[in-house]
Amino acid sequence: MRIALSLPIALAALVAAGPALAVSCKDDIAAVERRLNSAGAEQVTGKEPPGGPTSSGSAKALDKPPAGAPSDPATKPTKAGVEEARTLLAKAKEQDKAGQETACQDTMTKVKEKAGALP
């Protein structure tokens, strides 16, 4: 009998915690912003980001980009794509400030698509 009562309670707690387990738009913005201000983005655009290029800060980051072409040619970064990603990133920041989490996440998906696989 106790199991029958505790199972629905445990499921309800798990469902309530679901949104808290997702990455917030603010965290996603910070991660993608580091990518758009990286040396890899500078290599694609030919323009140094404001404040100079940043590193990922990750101990797992590679010293240099992997050799070869991306497996999906659509992910190849372009100067226009990186610039458009930066414009969309500014829009996502405004949506985040306005508390529009779903719209912000949708915009961040577009930002990632436009940025492509930066070296």
Side-chain angles (χ1 to χ4, degrees):
M1 182 72 174
R2 286 186 181 187
I3 293 174
L5 290 176
S6 61
L7 185 59
I9 293 170
L11 287 174
L14 186 60
V15 169
L21 299 175
V23 173
S24 74
C25 201
K26 186 178 299 283
D27 293 339
D28 211 9
I29 288 170
V32 172
E33 191 167 37
R34 282 192 303 274
R35 282 184 53 214
L36 291 176
N37 290 331
S38 69
E42 179 182 2
Q43 182 181 338
V44 171
T45 63
K47 183 166 90 174
E48 185 172 314
T54 60
S55 71
S56 69
S58 170
K60 296 181 180 181
L62 300 174
D63 293 333
K64 60 182 181 175
S71 58
D72 180 2
T75 63
K76 184 172 170 70
T78 63
K79 181 178 180 177
V82 171
E83 293 301 325
E84 189 171 350
R86 287 185 174 137
T87 302
L88 287 167
L89 186 68
K91 179 181 177 182
K93 286 180 179 182
E94 290 301 318
Q95 291 169 329
D96 183 52
K97 285 181 186 175
Q100 301 169 339
E101 185 71 21
T102 303
C104 182
Q105 289 291 348
D106 291 343
T107 302
M108 287 306 297
T109 299
K110 293 175 188 170
V111 168
K112 293 172 190 174
E113 289 170 356
K114 294 296 180 184
L118 292 170

